[in-house]
Amino acid sequence: MEQSPNSSSTDNLSIDILILAAGLGTRMRSNKAKVLHELDGKPLIAHVCRTAAALAPEKIFVVVGHQADEVKQAVGRELGEEQTGFVLQKEQLGTGDAVDAAREFLQDKDSMLVILSGDVPIIRAETLASLIQQHRNQKAACTILTVELKDPTGYGRIIRDENKKFSHIAEQKDGSKDELKVREINSGIYCFNTRLLYQMLKQITPSPVTGEYYLTDVPALLRENGETVSLYLHNDAREVSGINNRAELADLERLVHRRTIKNLMLESGVSFIDPKSVCIGADVRIGRDTVIYPNVYLEGDTVIGDECEIRSGTRIKDSKVGNGVIIQDNCLITDSEIENDCTVGPMAHLRGQAKMEEGAKIGNFVEMKKTVLGKGSKASHLSYLGDATIGENTNIGAGTITCNYDGKNKNKTVIGNNVKIGSDTMLVAPVTVGDGAMTGAGTVVRKDIPENTLAVGQPARNIRKVTSE
């Protein structure tokens, strides 16, 4: 196809990305901007930003409007400052107006501009890469990503000419009876020649009905101007589905979980007793021959090793679990690390950088916060271990509490190796218990206990040296 004199070769053009994220999303029935609603534990806009970054663009621009500061923060958690630019759309006057808001940054750039929607969160980088490649190959001024729907009601229809090339986009309210029978729709994802796009935006006029400026008017103007408008027909409509309401968000959440679980079963060798009852985040990694029981929630940056058992009712977030670990029913584990061959629970709680070293065990109703439980050590029942370091092969009796807060500061408890802490012991931090020491039941420890010493009473008294026999 002969190239128009107005077109630039796309072969060496860099990529910029513009994400439209200014709208409130009234159909969400929410005071929160639509792109801040979460899918798989992250705002919708974060998913789009991650995909955009995977294309290695020169710059990612985000058009903000409603709750601009909150949207900027969500973007900032996903992208670096140097990579990102923000554009304020002062009034929401349509998609054409949103793109035009970035004119000062983009109008003079010789680049390809990929336009994404902040509420289309599961579009894949591979799909966008194919869109860009077709744009390059066809030396197009615009390439539109399209899909076919069984029920296209409400979407702009892609109308092709007698040669199956792009003619125009027929909107639902304006299309003829024959045009509205077309099942191929505009996904709202585009690749443009940046300079040409901003030339054409000057020519679009507001809708006489809504007063808004529509980006969908630009492809037809480009065609009338002799430019090539390419259509990339994609085969997965769900991938380019936008979120319009909470029901659609819930449907997409289920889809993401189903895809993740299927991949873990087929590619990673993970067993699920009841796949429909569990929620597994897309970023979670699980090792071979691990068994996941019903009603388990694994979220965030979580890694589970090989040959583990995760029993029903357990939730794990942003944590690392080694190989051969058994996590019993109804445990809550966040921001923690569990090394190989440990046992947790049932009904245990690890949080705040808690760590269990190899072969350690905590039992029912034990809570650990910012505590290291050493190799082979045990806390089997009803204990709170906060801001503590516990050595190897130490046994923590039922009802033990590290009293870490003095009313102003959190203080540290240090318990050595081969220690036996009796039931209902209170360790009033800061305090150290030496290797091989013991406490009697109900002891209140306010002073350090030397190595190999038995301490009892309230407050504790050092009674005698103890032997390892």
Side-chain angles (χ1 to χ4, degrees):
M1 182 179 294
E2 186 177 351
Q3 188 177 358
S4 162
N6 293 330
S7 296
S8 301
S9 172
T10 60
D11 293 344
N12 298 316
L13 296 183
S14 61
I15 298 170
D16 289 307
I17 293 177
L18 184 67
I19 302 174
L20 308 184
L24 176 61
T26 55
R27 282 182 284 177
M28 295 298 286
R29 300 293 187 268
S30 174
N31 296 324
K32 183 191 298 183
K34 186 200 296 188
V35 297
L36 295 176
H37 284 263
E38 291 192 351
L39 172 73
D40 193 28
K42 290 186 175 183
L44 299 178
I45 187 67
H47 293 273
V48 181
C49 287
R50 176 178 291 190
T51 300
L55 297 173
E58 185 173 298
K59 193 85 171 182
I60 299 172
F61 295 92
V62 181
V63 180
V64 297
H66 288 287
Q67 297 174 359
D69 290 342
E70 291 87 345
V71 174
K72 288 179 181 179
Q73 290 173 11
V75 172
R77 288 192 291 269
E78 197 66 37
L79 302 175
E81 290 185 8
E82 294 183 0
Q83 190 179 19
T84 313
F86 292 101
V87 178
L88 179 63
Q89 186 184 14
K90 296 179 180 179
E91 295 182 79
Q92 277 65 63
L93 296 177
T95 50
D97 178 66
V99 174
D100 199 60
R103 176 176 293 277
E104 64 175 299
F105 304 104
L106 290 166
Q107 66 176 341
D108 296 323
K109 292 197 70 173
D110 287 320
S111 69
M112 292 182 296
L113 184 65
V114 178
I115 297 179
L116 305 175
S117 296
D119 63 352
V120 181
I122 65 169
I123 182 70
R124 297 182 304 129
E126 294 85 352
T127 300
L128 295 176
S130 296
L131 173 75
I132 293 167
Q133 189 58 51
Q134 178 170 308
H135 186 81
R136 290 186 189 276
N137 291 344
Q138 297 193 9
K139 302 185 184 301
C142 170
T143 302
I144 307 170
L145 195 156
T146 73
V147 292
E148 290 187 348
L149 299 179
K150 291 181 180 179
D151 181 7
T153 304
Y155 292 91
R157 311 304 204 276
I158 297 295
I159 308 303
R160 296 176 181 251
D161 61 21
E162 63 276 6
N163 297 315
K164 304 299 182 182
K165 302 296 184 181
F166 174 81
S167 171
H168 62 281
I169 297 173
E171 297 296 345
Q172 178 74 33
K173 62 182 183 298
D174 300 322
S176 68
K177 186 176 181 180
D178 287 339
E179 287 175 333
L180 295 182
K181 291 179 181 178
V182 173
R183 292 171 51 205
E184 185 180 8
I185 62 98
N186 170 30
S187 71
I189 296 172
Y190 311 85
C191 185
F192 281 100
N193 175 300
T194 306
R195 193 183 291 271
L196 284 174
L197 166 63
Y198 280 94
Q199 290 175 10
M200 293 299 107
L201 281 173
K202 293 179 179 178
Q203 300 181 31
I204 65 173
T205 57
S207 164
V209 177
T210 65
E212 295 184 347
Y213 297 82
Y214 294 121
L215 183 61
T216 50
D217 292 343
V218 171
L221 287 173
L222 286 168
R223 182 178 182 272
E224 292 169 7
N225 205 44
E227 304 291 347
T228 298
V229 177
S230 175
L231 299 173
Y232 178 76
L233 178 59
H234 189 45
N235 60 7
D236 186 352
R238 292 304 300 270
E239 185 184 332
V240 299
S241 296
I243 302 297
N244 294 304
N245 54 55
R246 293 176 191 263
E248 291 177 356
L249 180 59
D251 288 342
L252 204 58
E253 186 88 39
R254 284 191 290 270
L255 175 65
V256 169
H257 290 155
R258 286 199 302 270
R259 288 181 175 179
T260 300
I261 291 166
K262 184 177 180 179
N263 182 66
L264 287 168
M265 291 191 288
L266 297 179
E267 303 296 331
S268 300
V270 180
S271 292
F272 292 87
I273 303 300
D274 182 9
K276 291 183 179 179
S277 71
V278 302
C279 292
I280 311 294
D283 292 334
V284 172
R285 290 168 285 165
I286 307 176
R288 180 172 294 187
D289 295 321
T290 285
V291 181
I292 308 295
Y293 283 75
N295 300 314
V296 167
Y297 293 74
L298 306 179
E299 307 169 28
D301 186 18
T302 290
V303 180
I304 310 291
D306 298 339
E307 300 179 352
C308 296
E309 288 185 20
I310 314 295
R311 292 279 181 168
S312 298
T314 289
R315 178 181 175 226
I316 305 175
K317 181 178 181 181
D318 297 328
S319 296
K320 182 177 180 181
V321 177
N323 300 324
V325 172
I326 297 175
I327 299 178
Q328 302 283 9
D329 304 71
N330 300 307
C331 294
L332 174 59
I333 300 166
T334 59
D335 192 26
S336 296
E337 180 178 355
I338 301 169
E339 293 188 352
N340 297 343
D341 302 315
C342 290
T343 302
V344 181
M347 293 168 284
H349 185 188
L350 276 69
R351 62 187 177 92
Q353 301 175 353
K355 181 177 181 180
M356 296 175 64
E357 296 184 346
E358 186 176 353
K361 176 182 178 180
I362 64 170
N364 52 293
F365 300 105
V366 174
E367 180 179 358
M368 287 176 50
K369 189 273 294 184
K370 204 172 182 180
T371 288
V372 177
L373 184 63
K375 183 177 180 180
S377 291
K378 300 178 181 180
S380 297
H381 317 280
L382 303 160
S383 295
Y384 172 70
L385 306 173
D387 297 278
T389 300
I390 300 168
E392 298 181 2
N393 301 310
T394 284
N395 188 76
I396 306 296
T400 295
I401 297 175
T402 58
C403 306
N404 54 337
Y405 186 53
D406 64 7
K408 293 183 179 180
N409 302 302
K410 295 289 183 71
N411 298 305
K412 192 169 182 63
T413 297
V414 178
I415 301 173
N417 302 323
N418 303 301
V419 172
K420 295 180 180 179
I421 301 294
S423 296
D424 286 331
T425 294
M426 305 289 113
L427 296 141
V428 183
V431 69
T432 297
V433 179
D435 294 346
M438 298 175 61
T439 68
T443 298
V444 178
V445 180
R446 295 182 176 274
K447 296 181 180 180
D448 294 350
I449 302 175
E451 295 181 1
N452 303 312
T453 298
L454 171 63
V456 300
Q458 301 179 13
R461 305 183 311 279
N462 297 335
I463 301 298
R464 57 178 171 81
K465 291 290 185 179
V466 295
T467 65
S468 59
E469 296 180 357

